[in-house]
Amino acid sequence: MLRVNILLISTVFIFTGCGDSTSVHNQGKDCVSCHSSFDSGVTIFNSLNASDRNATDTANGYKVRLVLDDGNTISYVKGRGDGNLYWKGDEGTINDFTVEILDENGKIVNKSRENSHNVGRLRCNSCHTQDGLNNAPGRVVSYDYNQLLSNIIAK
Ligand code: HEC
Ligand code: HEC
């Protein structure tokens, strides 16, 4: 019994003692619904059907880039909570765009279809829910979901 207690205490210590190392903050929820100062927010997951506020299935260290149809790009900054990112900026320049997910070395690991997203699609997690809404396949993920990248290499 004593041993179990010690284990429990040390586990709690690991999770609370290391600051932001396992950080839960509304993962998978629509960021802009609470953060009206953000123009966009998203959570990157390792699993397509991860549940809301599931911090263990988040993909950390990834980047989000919107490639606009005029060739300009928009980069997101790390948010509070594992896997969370957001962007504040000038929405007026956005028309259609392609989303790219990059790993920490800047390699593209996943992307949406070409110009399939637009300025009305900035509340990422509102469609990229656990089961997906409005034809979204589920979460925004850190792997080549549509196999668009492997097709490019194969051609
Ligand atoms: C249910 C409401 C809610 C949702 C949804 C939410 N947040 Fe927050 N967030 C808060 C609150 C409240 C705070 C302030 C907490 C504090 O100051 O300790 C906060 C703080 C933050 C902060 C630090 C303060 C700031 O404004 O820079 C960041 C960054 C952040 N959230 C990012 C996100 C991202 C990214 C998402 C979406 C994945 C998100 N939040 C979803 C309520 C929410
Ligand atoms: C109105 C609903 C909707 C919104 C909002 C939305 N998406 Fe999507 N997303 C889709 C649909 C539908 C697909 C599948 C077709 C495609 O690839 O465009 C998709 C596919 C993706 C993919 C590839 C598949 C996957 O799940 O990883 C990524 C990456 C992506 N979206 C990122 C984003 C990001 C980042 C945002 C916010 C800037 C966003 N989406 C907002 C509907 C949406």
Side-chain angles (χ1 to χ4, degrees), residues 38-142:
F38 295 2
D39 292 86
S40 182
V42 63
T43 308
I44 312 299
F45 287 97
N46 286 318
S47 148
L48 202 59
N49 301 115
S51 54
D52 279 348
R53 300 197 174 85
N54 179 341
T56 19
D57 269 348
T58 54
N60 289 303
Y62 288 83
K63 301 183 175 104
V64 176
R65 182 162 73 194
L66 310 186
V67 181
L68 309 188
D69 59 358
D70 65 6
N72 287 321
T73 57
I74 285 173
S75 295
Y76 283 48
V77 292
K78 201 182 168 324
R80 176 171 298 189
D82 292 345
N84 286 344
L85 298 108
Y86 69 97
W87 173 71
K88 297 180 189 183
D90 179 9
E91 279 183 31
T93 63
I94 305 178
N95 191 21
D96 292 341
F97 61 86
T98 309
V99 182
E100 294 178 342
I101 310 300
L102 298 87
D103 70 13
E104 58 194 346
N105 300 316
K107 180 174 171 259
I108 301 169
V109 293
N110 182 25
K111 65 185 284 191
S112 70
R113 290 177 193 284
E114 201 80 14
N115 292 325
S116 61
H117 289 57
N118 59 43
V119 68
R121 292 191 162 191
L122 291 177
R123 291 181 166 211
C124 313
N125 290 343
S126 69
C127 288
H128 290 278
T129 58
Q130 178 167 13
D131 298 313
L133 285 177
N134 304 314
N135 297 322
R139 300 305 189 178
V140 175
V141 290
S142 60

